[in-house]
Amino acid sequence: REFYMHPLLSSEGGTLFSTAGAYLFSPDGGLLAIFLSSLIAATLFPLPSEVVLFGYVQLHPEHTAIAITIATVGNTLGGMSTYAMGRWIPQHSVQRLTPRALAWLYRWGASATTLAFLPLIGDALCLAAGWLRLNAWSVLWWMSAGRLARYLSVAGAGLLS
């Protein structure tokens, strides 16, 4: 059965599964690599997802919008998984949380998670936001806004270089 393929996913047309799968796993695709690197980078494993996005945008500037979207979604999902882990920490277990991250969150609330992409304190902000039981939708909004801004700047640098 034939399905409509978005032009970004298919240069030749075809079925949804064969064309999209071939595209994502091809050397030219790279979108799966962007998603996985941005997802893993938002967990406790340090991985430079910006490098992957930067390189992809230089190779495929016509796919910049979808690459930024995929990187933002992957990185936000990773951050929200750390937020979920924070919700599982018992309320009396403060010693696992960074005092600096807690102070930021007490002062700024969910909007502090805009800076959750930062190295060193980003994971602590997500974890502390979960531990403090901040509203998940607010955290999702602010966290994705910060990550989108970062990836927009990385992609912009990739396009300009």
Side-chain angles (χ1 to χ4, degrees), residues 79-144:
M80 289 304 288
S81 68
T82 304
Y83 168 87
M85 286 185 239
R87 295 207 43 128
W88 295 334
I89 297 173
Q91 288 292 312
H92 61 276
S93 302
V94 169
Q95 71 273 11
R96 292 186 183 191
L97 302 175
T98 308
R100 187 174 184 183
L102 283 173
W104 271 71
L105 287 166
Y106 278 129
R107 181 171 182 187
W108 299 104
S111 64
T113 60
T114 303
L115 302 175
F117 67 86
L118 292 172
L120 303 177
I121 67 163
D123 292 330
L125 282 173
C126 296
L127 193 69
W131 183 77
L132 290 171
R133 310 301 196 260
L134 295 181
N135 181 287
W137 293 110
S138 294
V139 170
L140 177 67
W141 165 256
W142 287 105
M143 189 186 302
S144 61

Side-chain angles (χ1 to χ4, degrees), residues 19 24 42 55 61 101 113 129 136 150 154 156:
T19 306
L24 290 175
T113 60
R150 175 188 64 185
V154 168

